[in-house]
Amino acid sequence: MTATATAATAAADIISLRGVSKGLYDLNGKTLNKHIRVLDDVDFSLRPGEVHVLLGENGAGKSSLVKMICGAIGPDAGTICIDGREVANNDPHTALSFGVAIVSQEFSLCPNLSVAENVFLGREPVGKAGFVDVAALRAAARVQLDRLGAANINVAAKVRSLAVADQQLVEIAKALSLDPRVLILDEPTSTLTDNQVANLFRVVRRLREEGVSMIYITHKLKEIFEIGDRVTVLRDGRSIRTVAVEEIDSVDGMIQLMIGSKLENLFHKEKASIGPVALDVRDLDNGKGQKVSITLRQGEIVGLAGIVGAGRTELARKIFGIDPYGSGEVRVFGTPLPKGSPKRAIQAGIGFIPEDRKRQGIVPLLSIAENMNHVSMRKMSRRGFVSKRSRRLLATEYVDKLRVAAASIDQEIRYLSGGNQQKVILGKWLSAGTRIIILDEPTRGIDVSAKSAIYRLMGELAAGGAAILMISSELQEIVGMSDRVYVMRNFGISATLEGEAISGEAILNSAMGGDEITDNGPLGGSSTTTV
């Protein structure tokens, strides 16, 4: 690492990037093509004790910018300054020595280790005999989790046993344990409940008072006004504008800066002819003594709402056959579906897009074509062999039909934005002839234009006769896209809403059991404007 004083960086800036550019790069940070720029002449600065929000669509360059600050990738042009000194060869070790820590959107946890071991991985306290002091380790982890209001998390539990939201808190606790001067938070609230978000924001405000500087990446615009000091908008790898939060005149104005145009008609709900019952769930034992009955007709988009932990995902997994259940029955077009068999569910025409897209929806190291053909292999098989030509034709057809933005169908899916990955997952099921689609949080972690595209696809599918069951924690999404809504509470159905009866107030009231409704809302960030 070479560090020399420079006058180019203002003394007030703890981090300053000037004119940085980066071409298309691989996972090791090596530039593959300097002409295809993921960052193009970007300026960015971070002041001591401020929360600087990064906004932009997926693919705008946000992740590449923070990777550069963390030393994971280097610039092809431009300068990086930390504490007023130019850092010529930044790397993760150098960044860490300056006190830079990151909470990535993609977890970096070891699932088979305990919570405490993950929080202090590689920095475990050692006792007199030279062995890890387990009691001290767990006590230290407990302190970090209590800072986040996560008293419910057992520090001795294996990380793999935790819910996604709790794993997110462990990831944040790990970063806080480094006592950082600069903390980068990449979509930290995407899986958290409102109470967990409130606790996290209290920690963010306290850290700011202590002088810690933070870079905060989010798709939830309401969060800007709650904790942000300044906002930088990126679009197509370029910095469009940096503005103080108090100078922001409207949310719509920020969206226009992000996408380069006005956003109109976000929810594309086409009129569809409602057909016969496609999915009939009768008295299914969903746990906690609750029997659930729901129906889904062709041409319908049915929303499944409720607070986090209400049993929505559990119900979907049982319908699809992933998890077992006791009593009850699932019928597909009138035919009973065997319990506990995803294979039979697929054969019956059911597709399931899980909440955890990265770990359960795609195979990251495989190409778009291979991911797209994953379910329909049998359809293209002849005497045990699969025609490569047929696979490519089918993948190309659905990449074009779903308007997937990619260099080619041979591109590894991990290089696509979240919205385009979601389109490929949809294509996987559609190419297999799926007639019933279960979508669990279909737009989580994707930007506003990608959401609009997903909504349009859902509307087109319903108009074409598909039956869609949509689980969502976004209240606007449920209200804007659903023909009917089932509200869940404590693993059972607490209300069924249809037509004009579908409203945010009615959903919240039923989800909370008629308790007082707060501005924050209970649906995992449902009351926020999310982009």
Side-chain angles (χ1 to χ4, degrees), residues 374-448:
H374 190 64
V375 180
S376 51
M377 285 287 195
R378 184 179 296 274
K379 178 180 177 181
M380 295 178 288
S381 176
R382 296 291 183 273
R383 297 179 180 178
F385 295 95
V386 178
S387 166
K388 185 176 181 179
R389 181 174 179 274
S390 297
R391 289 178 60 185
R392 295 185 65 82
L393 285 174
L394 189 65
T396 300
E397 176 187 349
Y398 280 92
V399 162
D400 292 342
K401 186 179 294 185
L402 300 177
R403 298 182 285 276
V404 177
S408 76
I409 61 172
D410 298 314
Q411 183 178 357
E412 291 181 11
I413 195 171
R414 58 182 167 165
Y415 292 118
L416 298 188
S417 68
N420 283 300
Q421 288 179 359
Q422 197 75 317
K423 290 180 184 180
V424 173
I425 299 170
L426 263 173
K428 173 178 69 176
W429 292 111
L430 297 178
S431 65
T434 302
R435 298 172 294 172
I436 300 167
I437 304 173
I438 302 173
L439 298 165
D440 194 353
E441 303 290 1
T443 64
R444 171 166 287 168
I446 63 178
D447 61 67
V448 65

Side-chain angles (χ1 to χ4, degrees), residues 276-449:
V277 173
L279 181 70
D280 186 7
V281 179
R282 302 180 179 181
D283 296 322
L284 186 145
D285 178 6
N286 197 39
K288 298 190 177 181
Q290 295 283 9
K291 306 288 186 181
V292 174
S293 295
I294 65 172
T295 58
L296 182 61
R297 298 176 180 275
Q298 285 186 290
E300 272 191 322
I301 298 177
V302 173
L304 199 58
I307 64 173
V308 174
R312 299 168 300 168
T313 296
E314 289 81 358
L315 176 62
R317 288 171 62 90
K318 286 170 182 168
I319 292 172
F320 191 63
I322 299 172
D323 296 334
Y325 58 90
S327 59
E329 185 178 49
V330 177
R331 288 177 172 264
V332 178
F333 292 101
T335 302
L337 186 67
K339 299 178 184 178
S341 175
K343 179 180 178 181
R344 295 295 294 273
I346 293 170
Q347 291 173 347
I350 301 178
F352 180 43
I353 298 178
E355 175 185 12
D356 192 342
R357 176 175 63 243
K358 297 286 187 181
R359 292 194 295 177
Q360 299 173 358
I362 64 171
V363 183
L365 297 178
L366 295 186
S367 68
I368 294 169
E370 289 167 318
N371 274 275
M372 190 84 78
N373 298 153
H374 190 64
V375 180
S376 51
M377 285 287 195
R378 184 179 296 274
K379 178 180 177 181
M380 295 178 288
S381 176
R382 296 291 183 273
R383 297 179 180 178
F385 295 95
V386 178
S387 166
K388 185 176 181 179
R389 181 174 179 274
S390 297
R391 289 178 60 185
R392 295 185 65 82
L393 285 174
L394 189 65
T396 300
E397 176 187 349
Y398 280 92
V399 162
D400 292 342
K401 186 179 294 185
L402 300 177
R403 298 182 285 276
V404 177
S408 76
I409 61 172
D410 298 314
Q411 183 178 357
E412 291 181 11
I413 195 171
R414 58 182 167 165
Y415 292 118
L416 298 188
S417 68
N420 283 300
Q421 288 179 359
Q422 197 75 317
K423 290 180 184 180
V424 173
I425 299 170
L426 263 173
K428 173 178 69 176
W429 292 111
L430 297 178
S431 65
T434 302
R435 298 172 294 172
I436 300 167
I437 304 173
I438 302 173
L439 298 165
D440 194 353
E441 303 290 1
T443 64
R444 171 166 287 168
I446 63 178
D447 61 67
V448 65
S449 60

Side-chain angles (χ1 to χ4, degrees), residues 213-263:
S213 304
M214 284 163 277
I215 300 173
Y216 193 95
I217 299 175
T218 184
H219 285 124
K220 298 180 179 180
L221 292 184
K222 184 179 179 182
E223 294 181 353
I224 298 172
F225 303 99
E226 290 193 41
I227 59 168
D229 296 307
R230 286 193 296 162
V231 177
T232 290
V233 178
L234 298 179
R235 186 172 72 235
D236 298 329
R238 299 184 66 88
S239 48
I240 303 301
R241 186 184 178 191
T242 297
V243 60
V245 169
E246 60 265 25
E247 296 176 13
I248 297 175
D249 52 2
S250 70
V251 168
D252 288 344
M254 297 304 294
I255 293 176
Q256 288 181 42
L257 286 173
M258 289 169 59
I259 66 177
S261 62
K262 290 185 177 181
L263 179 69

